[in-house]
Amino acid sequence: MNVFIIGVAAKSSSQLLASAYMEKELRLLGITPSVLSVSGEAQMVSAFQRVLLLGGLVLAPATGNAAIDRLLTEQIAKVCGVPMEANEKVFQQIAERNVKLTRDEVAQLSTLPQGAQVYALQDSTYPAFQLDGENIHAILLPADPVEQSGVFLNTVFPTFAQQKKYPCESHTLRVMDLSLTEVEGALKDVLTSENPCVAVYPGKEESVVR
């Protein structure tokens, strides 16, 4: 399966996903995604047209910028061949979590592709979701790094791991009282290993070692 990562990188980094370890874990499964970093609407349209032509899985990390995330959402809807529509359930959830937003702002955020399966999130303002097209499976990943890691570890990685002929076993260790940087420093001798693969992710109040 073709795997694409499409998004707008932050000015301080060329990386699209919240953690480079996600790509490392995909490589463990024999998957090398095509990373398409775009800087404007025209480039974004071109990247999604390539996906439409080839088919496959699209991982589109949200940025936290409502305008950019809206463009990503609209392009996902187009390549999956579905219209955008108001989602009343998501409207209520966003309105309850973000009391400072106006009704119009909530309405814009809750207008999503028809048939989108929305993830239950707490810290990402823009809704993250997955959507199936004819030959495309698209996931708009949460902007929040902790929630983005959660969707990757609980949804994306297991899907590919189940397709492998050989078993892939994982273990998780949660480390309290040490920052992500401190944990990486302590594990620097093993972090370069590809198999077994060691990865470190941010948790809400801890560091997560896989």
Side-chain angles (χ1 to χ4, degrees):
M1 176 187 288
N2 297 315
V3 179
F4 302 90
I5 302 172
I6 302 178
V8 179
K11 292 181 179 180
S12 58
S13 172
S14 60
Q15 185 176 300
L16 295 182
L17 295 174
S19 173
Y21 293 112
M22 295 181 195
E23 289 187 47
K24 182 182 180 184
E25 291 210 36
L26 288 176
R27 290 198 301 272
L28 177 69
L29 301 177
I31 298 166
T32 302
S34 298
V35 180
L36 306 177
S37 182
V38 301
S39 59
E41 184 174 0
Q43 288 187 6
M44 188 181 295
V45 170
S46 177
F48 275 96
Q49 285 301 311
R50 178 180 173 185
V51 171
L52 183 61
L53 179 65
L54 299 175
L57 171 67
V58 180
L59 301 176
T63 64
N65 179 303
I68 293 174
D69 296 342
R70 167 60 48 188
L71 287 174
L72 285 170
T73 299
E74 291 174 347
Q75 287 303 310
I76 288 174
K78 286 182 180 179
V79 297
C80 289
V82 299
M84 299 282 286
E85 66 177 10
N87 188 313
E88 184 61 30
K89 182 178 179 179
V90 174
F91 182 98
Q92 295 297 333
Q93 292 172 342
I94 295 175
E96 290 173 3
R97 292 202 318 263
N98 301 274
V99 295
K100 293 183 179 180
L101 295 177
T102 66
R103 186 174 180 84
D104 286 344
E105 288 172 331
V106 175
Q108 288 184 343
L109 291 171
S110 59
T111 300
L112 300 171
Q114 187 180 76
Q117 300 177 47
V118 182
Y119 296 112
L121 304 173
Q122 295 296 323
D123 297 321
S124 298
T125 301
Y126 200 94
F129 61 87
Q130 63 181 25
L131 182 69
D132 287 321
E134 185 174 342
N135 65 336
I136 294 171
H137 181 72
I139 299 177
L140 183 76
L141 293 166
D144 179 79
V146 175
E147 293 186 330
Q148 186 180 126
S149 298
V151 171
F152 175 82
L153 297 177
N154 295 320
T155 302
V156 179
F157 185 87
T159 298
F160 284 111
Q162 291 171 2
Q163 297 173 2
K164 303 303 292 184
K165 294 182 179 179
Y166 55 84
C168 182
E169 186 173 341
S170 65
H171 299 275
T172 300
L173 175 68
R174 300 186 183 278
V175 182
M176 308 295 292
D177 301 326
L178 289 177
S179 69
L180 197 70
T181 301
E182 290 172 326
V183 173
E184 288 180 315
L187 297 175
K188 62 181 180 181
D189 292 337
V190 296
L191 285 178
T192 55
S193 170
E194 289 291 329
N195 189 5
C197 172
V198 181
V200 184
Y201 295 97
K204 286 190 177 296
E205 297 180 353
E206 76 282 358
S207 296
V208 179
V209 181
R210 286 251 298 176

